Amino acid sequence: MKNNDTFITQSMLSSYMVVETKDYLELILPFVCMCLPEKIDDIIELEKIQDAIKNKYGLDIPVNVVEKLLIRLCKQKRGAVVKKIPLGYAVNNIYNVDEFEKRTIKIKKSIDAVISKMQKYMYKEKYMKDVSPDKMREYLAVFLDTYNYSVFDDTQSLDSITINKNSESNYYVAQFILSEYENDTVEFQDILEIIKGSLIAKTIYYFMDSENDISKKRIQGTRFVLDTRVLIDVLGLNLQQECNAARELLELIINHGGKVVTFDYYVEELRGIIHRFEKSPETRLELSLNWFVRSRYSSQDVSAYAGTIEDRLQEYNVAIIQKPNYGKNINAQKWHIDYAQLRDVLNQQIDYRTKREEYYSDALIHDVDTIEAIAYERGNSKHCSIFNCKAIFITKNTDICNTIFRLYKNDRFRNGEVNFAMSDVDLTSIIWLSTFGKNSDLPKMKLLEHAYSACMPSRLIMKEFLAKVHSLEESEKISQEMAIMLRSHYATINDLSEILHNKEGAVTDEVIYEMERRVKNRAEKDVKVQLKKEIDELQKERKEVEEDRDAIEQRRNELIGEQRKTSKLKQDTEIIMDNLEKKRNALSKEKEEYEKKIEYVRTKQRHIINKAKNKANLIKEITKILIYVVLSVISLGITILFAIGTWKISDLTKVSLVWSYVYVGSVSIICLVITIISIVKGLSFYVSKVTVKVYDYCYSKEIKKHKELFD
């Protein structure tokens, strides 16, 4: 199969995703239609359709799925291209290939534009001499296969073309992708469509037998177990792009009902890596923890960070669990893991950096424990996907996933059970497609993560580099200080990539000398930059000092002027104080005299008032007595007149009437006295009024005589 055809197929899958579909199997229908016989009523043979789809488009579809797709074509309401017949299926109408071919031509032009531009980029950057289009397609295909994007079958034959230059070719492709991304070109979007198409194809293969639309599925309690490498991405301890992709994936899992966990031994494994980074600067280049360098963490900061891993993982909703004891499950389950077999197979197939038979690495034991735990948690084999499989191991090491699948394919996975382990790319494809309508940028994040990763030297190149540095240090061709700098500074990683282009076996003495020269130049440049920075700071400080000095001088002059003003004000104040003192003394004297006058006046006033009151009261009493005397005289005169009149009357009458008159006269006198008393009482109000007026008049007259004392 041609590489270009693979790229076209993947891009077309991505383009069909834009169109509303019932489920993701419908994306394959146009490819099936393109492989149908060309005459109406021709019999459709399932195996031939299967082979045609595989050969033309690289889609390896099972026969039962081909039949399922033909049934869908039969059920189309208008212009069905397939019909059901007793012997199977036949062509009902000729499929209109115009839309498919237009789409194919458009995508082919886009891919050709990508290949052409990559060809020009390689020539411009002088990365290689042979820059043919076929070589560019091969390099792009190797890049996709290396980072687990490719889904076609002939990747092994494809790898053999550039198997010895895998890292080198991926470096070239990654540099091209990053250049297109930074310039935001159309070609980058075309590459992204290929990536999206490969993720779609992966998901279709995972759910080939499913009738359901996975975009409507939610995760039903599945626990996703993360290994140490994925934890590094989640915590953002390496490349920023890896962090972005991991956290986006984490958020999608949790939002769809999944649970993200890790075993405590992976946390301890990560803690051990961090402590190794802290205590052994010479090994830092081999560890994926360059965030500590970017953040300028000291050894104390790194050590403190190691103690906070649990809290940081909790912030991202990653729970830490312990492996339970599965001894009771062995008898309860019909099938269980052969622990020793799994350990030995993984040790043989996976590079755990130690192959000694008498020793198994901690990383190997941890992965075996995880697979065993997941197998026991799932129980006996049954059809399940990531949405309902109870537990699944997520790792960046695809070799582990492939080894586990081959080892237990017949026992577990051939009946539709999802693998115990899955790569982060495969999980990304499924989770991304289940949220396709939300326009997630996860494919772009993943592409950039792998592009930046491809620019980093491989483990083999780093091993060669460190060995060469050690050799030159022992032969004293480079200094010990320079050797330490080359082994511990992350800047040397970029230098190594730029010089070697990630070519394995190309680390020579000249490469180390060139890196030494770059380190020295960078150090000199850093010193110059630092000196310039310090000079600028000194000049700035000098300017600030001069400005402060001018300000101080100006302030000193202002203070002198203020001092003069203060002296003058002081003199004026002293004069004013003297005048005030004189006035105060004069006022004090006047106050004393005034108080004496006041006391005299008050004494005089009291005497005059008492005198006036006494005189007024005397006149008042005399007036009252005179009024009562006058009234008494008047009453007495009336009484006398009455008595005389009565006496005379008694003389002219008989003696018998005398006593009568006496009684009458007595009663009349008594009545007269009572009447006079009543009159006196009635007149007493007016008498009092008159006496008060007399009192007021006499008092006022007496006060007016001494008016000046009361003003």
Side-chain angles (χ1 to χ4, degrees), residues 374-625:
I374 289 173
Y376 279 131
E377 186 168 352
R378 288 193 189 178
N380 295 318
S381 179
K382 59 182 178 181
H383 189 283
C384 63
S385 68
I386 69 163
F387 295 97
N388 58 356
C389 67
K390 293 186 178 180
I392 189 168
F393 180 42
I394 306 302
T395 177
K396 298 181 80 69
N397 192 336
T398 56
D399 292 336
I400 293 178
C401 304
N402 296 333
T403 301
I404 297 298
F405 185 79
R406 289 193 298 268
L407 184 60
Y408 301 118
K409 179 180 180 181
N410 293 330
D411 293 334
R412 301 288 299 234
F413 308 133
R414 65 179 178 180
N415 295 323
E417 180 182 3
V418 68
N419 194 354
F420 294 143
M422 177 178 286
S423 72
D424 61 326
V425 175
D426 289 346
L427 179 62
T428 296
S429 66
I430 296 172
I431 297 296
W432 172 66
L433 250 70
S434 67
T435 60
F436 187 84
K438 297 182 180 180
N439 297 321
S440 170
D441 284 335
L442 195 53
K444 182 170 73 173
M445 292 181 182
K446 212 67 182 169
L447 173 61
L448 292 176
E449 171 192 339
H450 293 151
Y452 280 102
S453 298
C455 295
M456 306 297 287
S458 66
R459 185 188 304 172
L460 180 59
I461 293 175
M462 290 304 304
K463 186 176 180 180
E464 293 176 1
F465 165 72
L466 294 173
K468 180 63 69 175
V469 170
H470 181 70
S471 174
L472 293 177
E473 180 186 8
E474 286 189 336
S475 61
E476 297 183 353
K477 292 182 179 179
I478 61 175
S479 65
Q480 185 179 11
E481 292 78 7
M482 179 55 65
I484 293 174
M485 291 184 67
L486 290 174
R487 285 194 293 256
S488 60
H489 281 64
Y490 270 98
T492 59
I493 293 180
N494 296 330
D495 293 333
L496 193 60
S497 295
E498 290 178 5
I499 296 171
L500 295 181
H501 298 162
N502 287 351
K503 294 180 183 178
E504 296 178 358
V507 181
T508 61
D509 294 355
E510 287 70 22
V511 171
I512 305 301
Y513 295 147
E514 171 62 19
M515 294 183 66
E516 180 183 18
R517 185 186 64 80
R518 290 192 178 196
V519 169
K520 289 180 178 179
N521 290 341
R522 191 179 297 115
E524 291 176 0
K525 184 178 179 181
D526 291 342
V527 169
K528 290 179 181 179
V529 170
Q530 185 65 25
L531 286 174
K532 185 177 183 304
K533 184 178 179 181
E534 291 178 358
I535 290 172
D536 291 341
E537 289 179 354
L538 287 173
Q539 289 178 346
K540 184 178 180 181
E541 290 178 0
R542 180 181 177 183
K543 185 177 180 181
E544 290 176 352
V545 168
E546 290 178 352
E547 290 176 353
D548 291 342
R549 186 176 62 188
D550 293 341
I552 290 171
E553 183 64 23
Q554 182 179 356
R555 183 58 180 165
R556 189 179 71 85
N557 294 332
E558 291 176 355
L559 289 174
I560 291 172
E562 291 178 359
Q563 186 180 12
R564 291 173 180 172
K565 292 179 181 179
T566 303
S567 298
K568 186 175 182 304
L569 288 173
K570 184 178 178 182
Q571 293 175 357
D572 294 342
T573 302
E574 289 177 352
I575 293 171
I576 292 171
M577 290 298 292
D578 291 340
N579 293 333
L580 288 174
E581 184 65 22
K582 291 178 181 179
K583 289 182 179 180
R584 188 179 67 81
N585 293 333
L587 288 173
S588 179
K589 200 173 199 181
E590 290 178 0
K591 182 179 179 182
E592 291 178 359
E593 294 177 355
Y594 178 75
E595 288 178 350
K596 289 179 181 180
K597 288 181 180 180
I598 289 297
E599 185 62 27
Y600 170 77
V601 169
R602 286 177 178 172
T603 304
K604 194 71 174 174
Q605 282 178 341
R606 285 196 294 270
H607 176 71
I608 293 171
I609 289 171
N610 290 333
K611 183 180 178 181
K613 284 183 177 180
N614 293 334
K615 188 176 182 178
N617 285 330
L618 180 60
I619 296 172
K620 174 182 174 183
E621 292 299 326
I622 292 172
T623 304
K624 185 183 290 187
I625 291 170

Side-chain angles (χ1 to χ4, degrees), residues 201-448:
K202 282 178 175 294
T203 307
I204 290 174
Y205 287 138
Y206 269 107
F207 294 93
M208 193 72 77
D209 295 328
S210 174
E211 289 287 351
N212 299 322
D213 183 354
I214 66 170
S215 67
K216 298 177 182 178
K217 286 189 175 182
R218 283 188 60 82
I219 301 171
Q220 299 175 359
T222 299
R223 295 199 298 181
F224 297 83
V225 183
L226 309 184
D227 71 353
T228 306
R229 186 63 186 82
V230 180
L231 292 181
I232 290 176
D233 291 351
V234 170
L235 294 174
L237 296 178
N238 196 14
L239 300 176
Q240 184 62 42
Q241 292 73 26
E242 294 178 342
C243 170
N244 295 340
R247 290 178 182 173
E248 174 75 7
L249 181 59
L250 217 65
E251 184 178 352
L252 290 176
I253 291 173
I254 294 171
N255 290 342
H256 276 68
K259 299 177 182 178
V260 184
V261 302
T262 189
F263 284 111
D264 53 356
Y265 45 74
Y266 285 127
V267 176
E268 291 305 317
E269 187 177 318
L270 175 56
R271 202 189 315 277
I273 294 173
I274 294 175
H275 284 312
R276 183 183 174 195
F277 179 95
E278 170 201 353
K279 297 176 180 179
S280 180
E282 295 186 358
T283 62
R284 289 179 179 178
L285 294 183
E286 300 178 87
L287 306 176
S288 302
L289 301 174
N290 63 21
W291 182 77
F292 290 136
V293 178
R294 295 199 312 269
S295 302
R296 300 184 182 276
Y297 267 37
S298 64
S299 296
Q300 293 80 4
D301 294 333
V302 174
S303 178
Y305 185 97
T308 63
I309 295 176
E310 290 84 355
D311 294 335
R312 294 176 185 271
L313 289 175
Q314 187 176 3
E315 290 178 3
Y316 295 108
N317 296 313
V318 179
I320 300 173
I321 60 176
Q322 295 180 343
K323 181 189 175 185
N325 185 3
Y326 291 102
K328 298 179 180 179
N329 297 55
I330 294 177
N331 297 326
Q333 294 180 2
K334 296 180 181 179
W335 185 93
H336 58 83
I337 289 284
D338 185 336
Y339 188 93
Q341 178 195 28
L342 174 61
R343 179 194 59 200
D344 293 338
V345 170
L346 286 180
N347 194 39
Q348 292 173 3
Q349 299 293 328
I350 312 300
D351 180 14
Y352 282 103
R353 300 194 183 189
T354 176
K355 293 296 182 183
R356 292 183 296 172
E357 295 181 358
E358 70 277 8
Y359 177 76
Y360 295 106
S361 70
D362 291 338
L364 168 63
I365 298 302
H366 295 161
D367 289 344
V368 175
D369 287 345
T370 300
I371 298 302
E372 181 190 40
I374 289 173
Y376 279 131
E377 186 168 352
R378 288 193 189 178
N380 295 318
S381 179
K382 59 182 178 181
H383 189 283
C384 63
S385 68
I386 69 163
F387 295 97
N388 58 356
C389 67
K390 293 186 178 180
I392 189 168
F393 180 42
I394 306 302
T395 177
K396 298 181 80 69
N397 192 336
T398 56
D399 292 336
I400 293 178
C401 304
N402 296 333
T403 301
I404 297 298
F405 185 79
R406 289 193 298 268
L407 184 60
Y408 301 118
K409 179 180 180 181
N410 293 330
D411 293 334
R412 301 288 299 234
F413 308 133
R414 65 179 178 180
N415 295 323
E417 180 182 3
V418 68
N419 194 354
F420 294 143
M422 177 178 286
S423 72
D424 61 326
V425 175
D426 289 346
L427 179 62
T428 296
S429 66
I430 296 172
I431 297 296
W432 172 66
L433 250 70
S434 67
T435 60
F436 187 84
K438 297 182 180 180
N439 297 321
S440 170
D441 284 335
L442 195 53
K444 182 170 73 173
M445 292 181 182
K446 212 67 182 169
L447 173 61
L448 292 176

